[in-house]
Amino acid sequence: MIKELIWQIHNGHRELVGDGAILVLFVASLTALLFLIPVKTKKIIPLFLSVPATIGCAIAGFIKAVLDIRYSSKLYKALSVLLAAALVILVCTVSGRMVFSSDLAGKNENDLHMPAGIVAAGEEILAQSSDPKVLTMPGWGLYLKSLSSSFTLMYDDENGASSLDGDQMRVYEELLKDSPSMKKIAAFAHAEDCGYVVLSKDMWPERPITSYGYELIYEDDSCGVYREVMTP
């Protein structure tokens, strides 16, 4: 257990890239928090497992220490604040051309801050129906409702699973499984006159939902969209 935790921390630190200054900055932040900045060490020790958290805490502690200085002249205090801001900017500029790897940070794929696959799936459904009834994965309904108010969801889990009724809860729990029963999911969808089902590609059912009256009309690496073609 401890070995796995250390390995995860090691791999997480390796994802930090740049010109090498990030390691120096991390060591400097540790030194400042332990010996220079007046903070309660016991409360911040867990932060030392994270490079960004350690650096951020050190910067925040430095700024607080500067702001707590009592000068008789407002000019001195203003200059101290400017000095602190200048040091923060210096920290950012010397930390390398990329402080974090592109795997951890990247350009937003759309203005709604939603997974691109779900957006594409929703747009495909709207292209075929102006008032679609959709059964989708737990947590995905909010994305579809944000994309368009035209979607009618077969259950609403925005307030948690406790708000669902018996049939909704059963299909909700089935969708959470790695190997769900598509027969049960399709039966619920047919009973609710659901025209479309959006499923994660991470599932491994024994039989696909296409065996129970739905056909695949769209898929990508994250999800697949199925349209009702017959009711058993």
Side-chain angles (χ1 to χ4, degrees), residues 4-16 49:
E4 292 179 357
L5 177 60
I6 295 175
W7 180 251
Q8 289 178 2
I9 295 171
H10 171 69
N11 285 339
H13 287 183
R14 288 185 62 186
E15 291 177 340
L16 292 167
L49 298 177

Side-chain angles (χ1 to χ4, degrees), residues 110-188:
N110 53 74
D111 293 338
L112 296 176
H113 299 272
M114 296 193 302
I118 299 179
V119 173
E123 291 175 345
E124 179 65 28
I125 295 172
L126 291 174
Q128 299 192 17
S129 174
S130 60
D131 185 25
K133 293 184 178 181
V134 182
L135 173 64
T136 188
M137 299 295 297
W140 288 13
L142 182 60
Y143 291 132
L144 294 179
K145 294 295 288 185
S146 299
L147 183 63
S148 173
S149 59
S150 299
F151 288 106
T152 299
L153 303 179
M154 294 301 95
Y155 63 83
D156 184 4
D157 61 338
E158 183 177 351
N159 297 320
S162 60
S163 63
L164 307 181
D165 62 28
D167 290 338
Q168 292 174 341
M169 177 64 76
R170 281 188 285 273
V171 74
Y172 178 91
E173 292 176 345
E174 198 68 35
L175 288 167
L176 291 174
K177 298 179 180 178
D178 293 332
S179 299
S181 170
M182 287 301 164
K183 183 177 181 179
K184 294 180 181 179
I185 293 173
F188 173 81

